């Protein structure tokens, strides 16, 4: 991982009025460069060329050095560590230099003593030093202690953190960049209050679950809006191939190492300026840029490691399976006799695992349990995967231009074969001051992501985990003659592992070009053009040994090309002024237009000559299809902020959004907000309270909308053209049919959010607390509302329903110990959210067999199950809530087999946690640094569908594995267990949606442990380097949970209305990496 | 030389609002984006060509079609799920999968939240809406390019398909809500109550009569589209269900009179094997599939080794009957065995799954007439029709001479002749024999429940069938 060097200039001070008077500096820099042995040894021709062309021009100018030379060192007043790249400026002159890697500077001035030196450095309080005698000065700088002095990126601008009226969390990506996941959002877990993140799968590069302050929508998108360097990027997976439910993350195309900062905009005051796309929160990502006036910095980060799954499913052995299966037969036979069920008597008379010899695939006489073998497919599938990461960056700048060049390569194996993720990215960010009033710049990133994909989820054919953990362990993979065997619709695992061929290449360009013009003092005009282009190329080939390609299909290949492009143009006019000394006033107005186009072309071929032919052009039968969709958005927005003496704050913002998605009667939506804050600390009655260093109260209210995730043409009445049918037997002729009913009133979902918060600083800001409570109420929820099917349509795109989210967030940062050389700081966050569907016209059932339900009066992610109260200790039969016929083998067969009425099904549980958060500790001492990040969730339920299949009580016989937990079944009167007696009769194993499989998913996880050692400064400088850090990173090292599956964060699908369904999803792996970071 | 900001500023101050105004003027156009995959429903059936495409669309809805990867499905009527209603209940098909939605049909305990139930209900009414569009709009088209009779033919096809829809609705659910107009708004079809069973059957007959009068006689043999004789065949089946034996016999006779277009093909399997045997003269009406729209029956019947799931399969009893040379004869070709000896249905076997969905085969028309004649005590004629079917299958002729024995023979013949087609359940229910043969104690189970969501959405207007 690239470690950020901090010597960058404040990036927003583009409009320095100092002009181009820099000859002294340039000469100084030349000297620094030429003095550096390392650079002369460094063979990078392009680096030298860049430096020389940049600086030589200005070095021709002469300088007078007839007066004093001032030397000195700028360092952190707490740690004594030199601060490289600090600006040292001679007051009332144009002379300035920058400190070197040790914080030292050397100043050839044309001045005489006394001189006034101004030292500035980002993240530290500036200092003015008047020097009258010495020419060698030590200048200690005091850190601004965290975020109070920081600049926060807000919608269409920046603000000082201390001036915010809104709720915005910032995360320095550097703190978590070493976590080996493909997309940066997965690294943010536990880092920002109010931001809930679950990595639903161990497959790198797959999408994850991200929510800012709860879930506001059912059918529209619930993901936050992502903006990277001003580009509203696509976060909808372009995947079309079936990988068992989950989809890839478009954010994985970005290299986390290039990210400087992530801001999470949470309340309406912050997000309303994003109008109809702000309701789910906004994540603003700022990538690294160079620094004006700084020497080139080369940073190399290399890490290598391994990952593997630690918790897996516990399966029965072959003999255990056989014993359980025989017991099921024996019990069922006894019940059949008791019930006089002659068919059952025949069916269950002979347990299958009997006789001598060994014949596992026979109906009966498979051999006694103890002769059964155990075939461990699970550990054949799971592996220790390799992790590699290489990042190289070069950044720097002169007076006019700053640049950042980044190159990264990352390779990650999933913990299951044969899945992997690989990404190469190049980034080039440059900003140039064309004149003293005009600055232009570009951000570019180009990446290639390569994935080997597979079905790590639901579905029998091609399902990796399905094949590995659902096939009974007693069944061999190969026949006596070596032929691959498969069972119950699952593929042969060895065939899958050897021949899996699903791979995807994603080419992504994200770029932005802007021009900033300072029109008059305080008034700035900005125009920018952005492009997000993604070329997503998928191909899969199933040869004739796999089920999808088996005869008579004889090979199946698909190739799909999806292209997504968004262009955005925006203009803003920003004015900032101070009047009457204490009245700070700012205004932003702007407009933006944007267009998004997605096209897909795919071809499928079946009937290949043999497995050597994999191109679709070799196929006997080919089909193809095409889709095209486009959405346009035009917007106007504005914001006014005012504060009096940084004590009383008021902020108003509004946006008008016109969207092509909306119905003709509702083309335009309007989204206003108001925010206010009061810094009580500055009032006279608190001014003298020493222990309280800051206290600010905030309140905001506003409207935001949500239109993402609904079809671009959802409001239009449509007929489809794909209904081809022949006129005569033979080729199909084109046909048309009704597809969708129009809704001229269709519009955005509207979320009204109020937020009250406080920012508290204690003991000189050693402890800082940020607290918020909020109330979000979403109305006009976009729904595919069911309508009577007799209309010929089953759903209708409509606005109906109300969803409420209420919650709190608390973040505490403390510097526990700050002795010289030893720093220990802690960051704790906790957030709770209560969601409720306030009104919903009709319940919406989710996933196969309606495991989940969305129902008025209940939380969004509720399960819909039959509640197993207990297993009767005397009979071993389960007792269900709402059971009308009763159980027990005294009843008639009809009664026994009577299903529980659907009315007995209960809405219960909640896949969303009651509260969640993170705890991180950072310690540094004498070159060592250690950070520990724990993340946790409490009160979330997970439905362990693997148990539903694996605790079938023998009813599935050779079709499914039995989990080891089946061994807990009831066997003896008096026994207390929740696993019923094995039998074919009664409700023991016929109720699929059984609450028995609903587990508590609460957990605490040691998400990251990062231990580093930086070589001492003198060693490093003798090597002509700035910094060398060796480190080891452990991820997911420890997990505390009662969940019975491998990973309580697992979820079978990427469908956002479904959470907490764990079926055949690979767990997040434990990973350990070693790395070195070198800066020069 | 840089331009002075002082000059640019007024310019921008002027330009900015102008740009805004320009932007908003073109905004209306910018904010209107029309799809290219689909077209507006404002202009649908306006000329001969669009009338033809709309009628084909109704056939596609009727046929359903599981879309090949990358495409979209077109509904769940024939071509998979609806057929299962007809054969799963007949006790001859066993279920091997894990989803109880299928098992419910086999154990005659279908719950109103059964997903397949809702899919089929929705699929049928989707087809009804398509037919309503055709029936309402095609006659209004004024297009000189319409060849003589074609406008009537197309309209008649709409009536026929609507008749078939209500026929299937009636025999599955009893009296159902009747809708006869194209749906144009989301609320238009709210609160429509169920018609009685009699009213529903009346609607079927009324649509069949309209189809009969509008459709043309076949010019060439073409069982994938309907003609006047297809309407007669369905009328024969309709009258059989109404126990109007004379009319059933009469319409069957009219169809059987066309020996040019329809024939009992020998050997038995020649109407579905080899793969090129589609739209044979065996079929009075069959639905066509292609690589894009495939018949989903195949994957459920075929075993994994053939790329299917074998979710349901012929039970031991029917497999024994089919393989009995004296009962099944050539019909043993309907089933096959896996390498491990498991029986699977082999009527739908093509890859890609372009297997036709058989709606009316000529052997059914023979058996309709046989039953109608037997009911009218025309024993010899009935025996002749029955034995025509038996002879084609290569089994010995029946010699039973009593009405009761003959009717039982016909019932048993239907069982093996249509072992994998949606007949036995409906036949046993129609003849009132379901409870005796299948051991169903609760007569309310002879009708399926209305999907619960449909009841919920009806604001209490739609009443559930008794017993559910």
């Amino acid at each position: 991982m690239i470690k950020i060097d901090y010597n960058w200039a404040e990036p927003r001070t583009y409009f320095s009025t100092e002009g181009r008077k820099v000859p002294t500096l340039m000469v100084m820099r030349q000297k620094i460069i030429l003095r550096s042995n390392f650079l002369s040894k460094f063979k990078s021709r392009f680096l030298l060329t860049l430096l020389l062309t940049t600086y030589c021009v200005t070095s021709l100018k002469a300088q007078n050095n007839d007066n004093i030379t001032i030397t000195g060192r700028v360092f952190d007043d707490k740690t004594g560590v030199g601060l490289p790249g600090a600006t040292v400026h001679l007051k009332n002159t144009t002379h300035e230099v920058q400190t070197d890697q040790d914080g030292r500077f050397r100043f050839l001035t044309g001045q005489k003593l006394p001189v006034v030196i101004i030292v500035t450095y980002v993240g530290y309080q500036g200092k003015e030093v008047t020097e009258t005698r010495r020419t060698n000065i030590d200048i200690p700088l005091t850190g601004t202690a965290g975020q109070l002095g920081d600049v926060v990126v807000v919608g269409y601008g920046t603000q000082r953190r201390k001036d915010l009226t809104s709720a915005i969390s910032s995360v320095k990506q550097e703190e978590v960049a070493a976590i080996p996941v493909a997309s940066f959002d997965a690294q943010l877990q536990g880092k920002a209050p109010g931001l809930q993140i679950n990595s639903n799968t161990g497959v790198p590069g797959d999408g994850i679950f991200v929510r800012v302050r709860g879930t506001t929508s059912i059918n529209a998108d619930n993901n936050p809006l992502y903006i990277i360097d001003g580009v509203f990027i696509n976060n909808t997976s372009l995947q079309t191939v079936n990988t068992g439910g989950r989809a890839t993350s478009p954010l994985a195309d970005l290299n986390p190492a290039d990210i400087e900062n992530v801001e999470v905009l949470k309340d309406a005051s912050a997000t309303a300026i994003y109008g109809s796309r702000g309701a789910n929160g906004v994540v603003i990502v700022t990538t690294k840029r160079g620094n004006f006036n700084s020497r080139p910095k080369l940073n190399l980060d290399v890490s290598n490691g391994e990952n593997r799954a630690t918790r897996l499913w516990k399966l029965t052995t072959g003999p255990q399976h056989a014993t359980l299966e025989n017991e099921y037969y024996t019990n069922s036979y006894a019940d059949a006799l008791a019930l006089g069920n002659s068919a059952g008597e025949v069916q269950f008379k002979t347990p299958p695992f009997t006789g001598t010899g060994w014949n596992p695939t026979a109906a009966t006489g498979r051999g006694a349990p103890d002769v059964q073998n155990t075939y461990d497919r699970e550990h054949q599938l799971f592996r220790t995967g390799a992790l590699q990461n290489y990042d190289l960056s070069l950044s720097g700048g002169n007076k006019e231009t700053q640049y950042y060049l980044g190159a990264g390569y990352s390779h990650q194996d999933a913990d299951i074969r044969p899945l992997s993720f690989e990404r190469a990215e190049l980034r080039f960010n440059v900003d140039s001051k064309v004149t003293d009033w005009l600055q232009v710049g570009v951000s570019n990133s180009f990446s290639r992501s390569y994935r080997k994909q597979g079905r790590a989820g639901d579905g029998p054919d091609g399902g990796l985990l399905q094949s590995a953990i659902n096939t009974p362990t007693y069944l061999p993979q190969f026949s006596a003659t070596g032929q691959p065997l498969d069972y119950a619709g699952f593929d042969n695992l060895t065939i899958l592992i050897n021949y899996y061929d699903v791979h995807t290449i994603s080419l992504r360009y994200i770029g932005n070009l802007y021009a900033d013009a300072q029109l008059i003092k305080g008034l700035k005009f900005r125009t920018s053009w952005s492009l997000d282009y993604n070329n997503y190329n998928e191909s899969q080939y199933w040869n004739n040994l796999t089920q999808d390609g088996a005869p008579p299909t004889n090979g199946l290949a698909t190739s799909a090309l999806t292209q997504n492009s968004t262009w955005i143009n925006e203009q803003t006019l920003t004015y900032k002024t101070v009047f009457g000394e204490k009245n700070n006033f700012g205004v932003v107005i702007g407009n933006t237009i944007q267009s998004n186009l997605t096209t897909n072309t795919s071809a499928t071929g079946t009937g290949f000559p043999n497995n050597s032919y994999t191109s679709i052009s070799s196929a006997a039968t080919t089909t193809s299809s095409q889709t095209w969709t486009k959405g346009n958005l035009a917007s106007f927005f504005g914001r006014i902020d005012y504060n009096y003496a940084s004590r009383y704050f008021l902020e108003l913002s509004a946006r008008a959004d016109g969207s092509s998605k909306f119905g003709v009667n509702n083309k335009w939506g309007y989204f206003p907000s108001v925010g206010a804050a009061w810094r009580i600390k500055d009032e006279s009655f608190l001014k003298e309270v020493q222990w309280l260093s800051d206290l600010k109260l905030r309140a905001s209210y506003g409207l935001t909308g949500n239109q993402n995730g609904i079809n671009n043409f959802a409001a239009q009445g449509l007929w489809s053209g794909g209904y081809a049918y022949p006129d005569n037997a033979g080729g199909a002729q084109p046909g048309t049919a009704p597809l969708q009913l129009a809704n001229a009133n269709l519009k955005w979902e509207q979320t009204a959010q109020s937020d009250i918060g406080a920012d508290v600083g204690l003991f000189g800001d050693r402890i800082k607390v940020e607290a918020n409570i909020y109330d979000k109420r979403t109305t006009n929820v976009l729904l595919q509302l069911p309508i009577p099917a007799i209309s010929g349509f089953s759903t209708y795109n409509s606005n109906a329903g109300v969803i409420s989210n209420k919650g709190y967030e608390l973040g505490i940062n403390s510097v526990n110990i700050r002795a010289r050389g030893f720093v220990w700081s802690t960051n704790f966050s906790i957030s709770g959210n209560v969601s409720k569907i306030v009104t919903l016209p009709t319940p919406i059932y989710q996933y196969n067999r309606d495991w989940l339900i969305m129902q008025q009066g209940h939380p969004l992610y509720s399960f819909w199950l039959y509640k197993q109260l207990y297993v009767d200790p005397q009979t071993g039969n389960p007792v269900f809530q709402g059971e009308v016929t009763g159980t027990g083998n005294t009843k008639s067969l009809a009664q026994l087999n009577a299903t529980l009425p659907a009315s007995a099904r209960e809405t219960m549980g909640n896949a969303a946690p009651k509260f969640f958060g993170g705890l991180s500790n950072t310690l540094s001492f004498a070159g060592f640094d250690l950070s520990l990040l724990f993340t946790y969730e409490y009160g979330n339920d997970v439905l362990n569908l693997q148990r539903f299949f694996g605790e079938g009580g023998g009813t599935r016989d050779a079709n499914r594995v039995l989990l080891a937990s089946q061994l807990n079944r009831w066997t003896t009167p008096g026994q207390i267990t929740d696993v019923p007696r094995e039998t074919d009769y009664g409700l023991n194993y016929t109720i699929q949606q059984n609450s028995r499989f609903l587990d508590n998913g609460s957990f605490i996880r040691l998400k990251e442990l990062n231990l580093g050692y930086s070589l001492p400064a003198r060693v490093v400088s003798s090597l002509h380097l700035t910094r060398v850090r060796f480190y080891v990173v452990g991820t997911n090292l420890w997990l505390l949970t009662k969940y019975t599956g491998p990973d309580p964060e697992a979820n079978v699908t990427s469908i956002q209305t479904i959470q907490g369904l764990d079926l055949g999803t690979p767990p997040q792996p434990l990973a350990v990496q070693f790395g070195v970071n070198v800066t020069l | 030389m840089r331009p002075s900001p002082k000059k640019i500023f007024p310019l921008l101050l002027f330009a900015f609002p102008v740009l805004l105004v320009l932007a908003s003027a073109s905004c209306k156009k910018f904010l209107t984006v029309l799809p290219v995959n689909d077209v507006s429903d404002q202009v649908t059936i306006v000329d001969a060509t669009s009338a033809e495409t709309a009628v084909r669309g109704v056939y596609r809805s009727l046929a359903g079609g599981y879309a090949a990867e990358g495409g979209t499905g077109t509904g769940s009527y024939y071509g998979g799920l609806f057929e299962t209603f007809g054969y799963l209940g007949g006790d001859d098909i066993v279920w091997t999968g894990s989803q109880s939605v299928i098992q419910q049909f086999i154990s005659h305990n279908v719950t109103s939240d059964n997903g397949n139930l809702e899919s089929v209900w929705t699929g049928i009414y989707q087809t009804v809406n398509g037919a309503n569009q055709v029936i309402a709009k095609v006659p209004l088209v004024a297009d000189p390019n319409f060849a003589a009779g074609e406008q009537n033919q197309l309209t008649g096809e709409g009536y026929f398909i609507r008749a078939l829809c209500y026929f299937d609705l009636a025999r599955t659910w009893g009296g159902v809500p009747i809708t006869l107009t194209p749906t144009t708004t989301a609320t238009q079809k709210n609160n429509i109550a169920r018609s009685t069973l009699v009213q529903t059957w009346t609607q079927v007959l009324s649509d069949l009569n309209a189809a009969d009068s509008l459709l043309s006689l076949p010019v060439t043999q073409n069982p994938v589209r309907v003609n006047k004789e297809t309407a007669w065949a369905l009328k024969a089946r309709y009258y059989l269900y109404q126990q109007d034996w004379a009319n059933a016999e009469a319409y069957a006779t009219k169809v059987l009179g066309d020996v040019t277009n329809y024939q009992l093909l020998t050997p038995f399997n020649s109407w579905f094997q080899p793969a090129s045997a589609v739209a044979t003269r065996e079929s009075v009406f069959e639905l066509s599939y292609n690589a894009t729209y495939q018949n989903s029956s195949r994957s459920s019947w075929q075993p994994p080794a053939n790329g299917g799931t074998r979710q349901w399969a012929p039970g031991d009893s029917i497999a024994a009957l089919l393989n009995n040379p004296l009962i099944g004869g050539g019909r043993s070709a309907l089933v096959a065995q896996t390498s491990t000896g498991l029986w699977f249905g082999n009527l739908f076997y093509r890859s890609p799954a372009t297997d036709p969905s058989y709606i009316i085969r000529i052997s059914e028309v023979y058996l309709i007439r046989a039953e109608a004649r037997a009911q009218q005590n025309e024993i010899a004629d009935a025996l002749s029709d029955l034995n025509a079917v038996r002879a084609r299958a290569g089994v010995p002729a029946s010699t039973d001479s009593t009405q009761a024995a003959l009717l039982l023979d016909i019932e048993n013949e239907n069982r093996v002749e249509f072992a994998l087609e949606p007949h036995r359940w409906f036949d046993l229910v129609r003849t009132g024999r379901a409870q005796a043969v299948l051991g169903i104690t609760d007569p309310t189970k002879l009708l399926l429940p209305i999907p619960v969501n449909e009841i919920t959405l009806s604001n209490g207007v739609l009443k559930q069938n008794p017993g559910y």
Side-chain angles (χ1 to χ4, degrees), chain B residues 291-462:
Chain B
T292 307
Y293 292 113
Q294 302 185 17
N295 190 331
S296 64
S297 296
R298 179 198 182 278
S299 67
S300 299
W301 285 110
Q302 290 291 323
N306 294 347
T309 59
R310 195 179 162 271
Q311 287 221 49
W312 43 83
D316 290 342
S317 51
I318 190 72
L321 291 174
L322 289 171
N323 286 298
N324 184 334
L326 300 178
I327 299 169
R331 289 175 289 220
S332 60
L334 291 171
V335 293
Q337 257 175 318
T338 67
S339 56
T340 52
L342 300 170
W343 289 107
F344 64 91
N346 206 26
L347 176 56
F348 307 96
Y349 62 90
R350 293 169 177 85
S351 177
T354 57
D355 306 279
S357 194
Y358 304 96
I359 311 274
I360 304 173
R361 288 197 285 117
I362 195 66
S363 58
E364 183 192 348
V365 184
Y366 275 100
L367 290 173
I368 287 173
R369 193 168 69 176
E371 186 173 338
R373 285 173 164 174
Q375 291 285 3
Q376 299 173 87
N377 256 321
E378 301 162 10
I379 300 299
D381 286 346
L383 210 51
S384 148
D385 284 337
L386 171 65
N387 284 334
V389 173
R390 288 179 68 88
R392 188 272 295 269
V395 296
S398 166
T399 54
D400 282 323
S401 55
T402 68
Q403 184 190 42
L406 200 50
L407 286 172
L408 189 60
D409 283 350
I410 293 166
E411 178 184 303
N412 288 331
E413 202 60 33
N414 271 309
R415 182 182 185 186
V416 286
E417 177 70 19
F418 303 105
L420 308 185
E421 290 163 81
H423 283 252
R424 181 156 171 84
W425 167 254
F426 292 126
D427 281 341
L428 291 174
V429 172
R430 165 176 68 81
T431 55
R433 295 255 303 143
Q435 287 176 263
V437 175
L438 304 174
I440 300 171
T441 49
D442 181 356
T444 63
K445 301 298 178 194
L446 301 180
L447 289 179
L448 296 183
I450 306 274
V452 66
N453 288 345
E454 201 69 3
I455 303 271
T456 314
L457 288 170
S458 76
N459 298 320
V461 170
L462 216 54

Side-chain angles (χ1 to χ4, degrees), chain A residues 240-242 361 435-437 455 460 486 488-489 517-520 523 525 540 547-548 550-554 556 558 567 571-573 589-591 593-595 602 604 606 621-623 625-634 636 658-661 667-668 712-713 716-730 732-742 786-794 796 842-843 845 848-850 864 866 897-899 902 905 948-949 956 959-960 992, chain B residues 2-6 8-9 12-13 16 19-20 23-24 27 29-42 44-45 50 52-61 63 68-75 95-100 104 109 111 113 118 121-122 125-130 133 137 177 179 183-186 189-192 220-225 278-279 285-293 298 304-309 340 349-352 452-454 456-458 462:
Chain A
T240 63
V241 300
N242 172 9
T361 54
T435 68
D436 59 355
W437 60 274
R455 294 180 194 169
D486 52 48
Q518 184 83 14
L519 301 176
I520 54 172
L523 182 65
F525 174 75
Q540 55 178 339
Q547 296 204 343
D548 278 359
T553 303
N554 288 317
L556 167 71
T558 309
W567 62 258
Q571 280 68 236
T572 55
L573 207 50
I589 58 166
N591 80 323
I593 53 174
Q594 157 165 5
S595 181
S602 75
T604 300
T606 55
T621 308
T622 59
T623 56
S625 70
Q626 183 187 21
T627 62
W628 182 99
T629 183
K630 182 177 176 177
N632 288 347
L633 187 73
F636 302 92
S659 170
S660 65
K661 285 182 185 178
K667 276 288 178 205
W668 285 86
N712 280 329
F713 310 117
Q716 303 182 24
L718 297 174
W719 272 46
S720 169
Y723 281 58
Y725 192 83
D727 289 341
N728 296 294
Q733 301 287 323
T736 56
L739 178 74
Q740 175 176 291
L741 289 166
I787 59 171
I790 58 168
S791 63
F793 300 87
S794 47
Y796 171 64
T842 173
Y845 305 96
N848 302 340
R849 310 175 210 200
D850 304 340
W864 195 42
Y866 295 99
N897 283 336
T899 319
R905 253 170 113 163
F948 154 64
F949 286 110
R956 299 178 193 280
N959 288 336
R960 294 280 177 166
Q992 303 187 344
Chain B
R2 64 180 173 84
S4 156
K6 291 194 170 63
I8 283 190
F9 178 47
L12 275 166
L13 270 189
F16 198 67
L19 282 172
L20 294 189
S24 40
C27 249
K29 193 178 169 196
F30 183 71
L31 295 180
T32 306
V33 181
L34 296 174
V36 300
N37 289 51
D38 310 301
V39 298
S40 165
D41 62 0
Q42 300 301 304
T44 50
I45 300 175
S50 56
E52 285 162 10
T53 58
V55 170
R56 290 188 205 114
V58 187
Y59 277 100
R60 178 47 60 210
S61 294
E69 229 162 318
T72 48
T74 55
W95 162 77
T96 71
S98 66
Q99 298 215 32
S100 66
Q104 288 181 357
N109 190 22
T111 57
D113 60 351
E118 183 170 357
W121 174 275
T122 306
Y125 274 106
Q126 188 187 330
T127 312
V128 168
N129 185 42
Q133 301 270 356
K137 294 177 183 171
T179 158
T183 303
T184 52
T185 69
K189 299 291 168 68
N190 284 354
N191 307 331
I192 297 183
T220 54
Q221 187 261 340
N222 179 20
V224 303
R225 297 288 289 258
V278 295
F285 185 32
E286 72 178 38
L287 294 169
S288 170
Y289 297 83
N290 53 49
T292 307
Y293 292 113
R298 179 198 182 278
N306 294 347
T309 59
T340 52
Y349 62 90
R350 293 169 177 85
S351 177
V452 66
N453 288 345
E454 201 69 3
T456 314
L457 288 170
S458 76
L462 216 54

